[in-house]
Amino acid sequence: MIEARRLHILRAVADHRTVTAAAAALYLTPSAVSQQLTALEQETGHRLVERGARGVRLTPAGEILLSHANAVLAQLERAEAELAAYGAGEAGTVTVAAFATGIAQVVAPAVARLSATAPGIRIRVQDAEGDASLPMVLDRQVDVAVAVEYRGAPPADDPRLTHVPLYAEPFDAVVPVSHRLADGPEVPLAELAKDSWIGPYPGNPCHDVVVLACENAGFQPRLEHLSDDFRAVVALASADVGVALVPRSALRGTDLTGVVVRPVDGVAPTRRVFAAVRRGAEGHPLIRPVLDALHAAAEDA
């Protein structure tokens, strides 16, 4: 009989690609993870992982078992949801990981909505960038992620996750008031090819949006200044050290003294925001109201 706990460990190793990283995510020791993998191999009668200089990878047998593990773990999430519904679970804590502007845009309004519609649900919020929050859901560190589509992100049909689209928003160009394009109604991105740029660090989903937009305009942005805080990005633009693309919601409440904000000429770069939970958990009586409240807050934004 294969233990579900060991399937979860196998998936964590496949996600993190090293025993050490998987152990850290699962709050286990590396030796405990290795022991569980060995036990799983004994249960199945197959070698499931191969260790190399660059980490761990699944064998073909491991890949077969992983596909079944995703289905089994999703079904267990559904079982927990149905049992919680049977027990009329109307009170409990749901942990939500979201990036800063997502917290302001939809999470905080959803929390306010839930305090009136589902007062028994307590929300704990953690600030996490979109590329960090999805692994946190898969590792069961949080229940819900509010994340951004980015290159390399799990796709919408990923068997481990259920996606709930929330909203899409354009990026606007932010240039110093003295910039040569500051007086125009729109900013053609191709005209910024020789400018210095200010933007998020690589790994931040917004970094991908900025770089891809510039690539589509025919150039690689020369990112000389890096910050994941868009208030800092705007402040640097106001100091006339470069130009930037900033999500529209991140500009709300930001001091825009010294800069001009203009829409991008043509098709604007866009970030698409969604909520994600472990597949099967979307029907949980504590999680379902949270997803509904996030969706309603996105529609009202």
Side-chain angles (χ1 to χ4, degrees):
M1 179 71 70
I2 297 174
E3 289 191 17
R5 177 168 58 104
R6 290 172 182 155
L7 294 178
H8 182 57
I9 288 173
L10 179 70
R11 186 163 80 177
V13 169
D15 287 343
H16 293 280
R17 299 187 183 278
T18 71
V19 169
T20 301
L26 298 172
Y27 299 102
L28 297 172
T29 64
S31 61
V33 170
S34 294
Q35 289 170 8
Q36 293 299 317
L37 288 175
T38 298
L40 186 57
E41 289 180 330
Q42 291 172 347
E43 287 174 344
T44 61
H46 292 278
R47 188 179 181 187
L48 302 175
V49 298
E50 292 180 346
R51 293 171 173 82
R54 296 185 178 181
V56 176
R57 68 180 184 86
L58 299 190
T59 65
E63 292 287 356
I64 291 171
L65 184 58
L66 178 63
S67 67
H68 290 285
N70 288 329
V72 169
L73 294 174
Q75 190 60 40
L76 286 174
E77 292 281 357
R78 294 186 188 99
E80 290 181 5
E82 289 189 18
L83 286 171
Y86 176 77
E90 297 177 353
T93 300
V94 176
T95 304
V96 180
F99 56 98
T101 51
I103 292 173
Q105 184 91 342
V106 293
V107 177
V111 171
R113 182 183 300 267
L114 286 166
S115 67
T117 60
I121 299 178
R122 177 173 175 262
I123 305 296
R124 293 179 64 246
V125 179
Q126 297 185 21
D127 190 330
E129 291 298 336
D131 58 328
S133 60
L134 295 177
M136 292 169 73
V137 167
L138 290 171
D139 292 333
R140 304 183 71 90
Q141 296 172 7
V142 301
D143 302 301
V144 181
V146 175
V148 179
E149 291 182 3
Y150 60 95
R151 287 189 283 194
D157 60 353
D158 189 292
R160 302 168 298 171
L161 295 167
T162 293
H163 285 216
V164 178
L166 294 178
Y167 64 92
E169 65 172 326
F171 281 57
D172 288 324
V174 178
V175 301
V177 291
S178 59
H179 195 274
R180 64 189 181 281
L181 300 178
D183 293 334
E186 296 179 328
V187 171
L189 278 188
E191 297 294 320
L192 301 177
K194 295 184 179 180
D195 285 80
S196 297
W197 278 75
I198 312 155
Y201 282 94
N204 185 316
C206 290
H207 175 90
D208 287 345
V209 175
V210 171
V211 171
L212 184 59
C214 293
E215 288 176 351
N216 289 337
F219 69 98
Q220 283 281 342
R222 185 160 48 90
L223 283 161
E224 294 195 355
H225 310 280
L226 298 171
S227 175
D228 288 334
D229 186 333
F230 285 114
R231 291 171 300 178
V233 170
V234 172
L236 287 169
S238 72
D240 202 7
V241 300
V243 299
L245 289 174
V246 177
R248 190 164 290 172
S249 65
L251 294 169
R252 295 174 186 167
T254 300
D255 183 2
L256 300 178
T257 304
V259 299
V260 170
V261 177
R262 294 288 184 264
V264 173
D265 185 25
V267 179
T270 301
R271 70 171 172 182
R272 290 172 174 81
V273 179
F274 61 93
V277 299
R278 292 180 296 277
R279 189 172 292 270
E282 62 274 8
H284 193 287
L286 295 179
I287 293 178
R288 183 73 258 168
V290 175
L291 294 176
D292 291 341
L294 288 169
H295 188 266
E299 288 188 332
D300 291 344

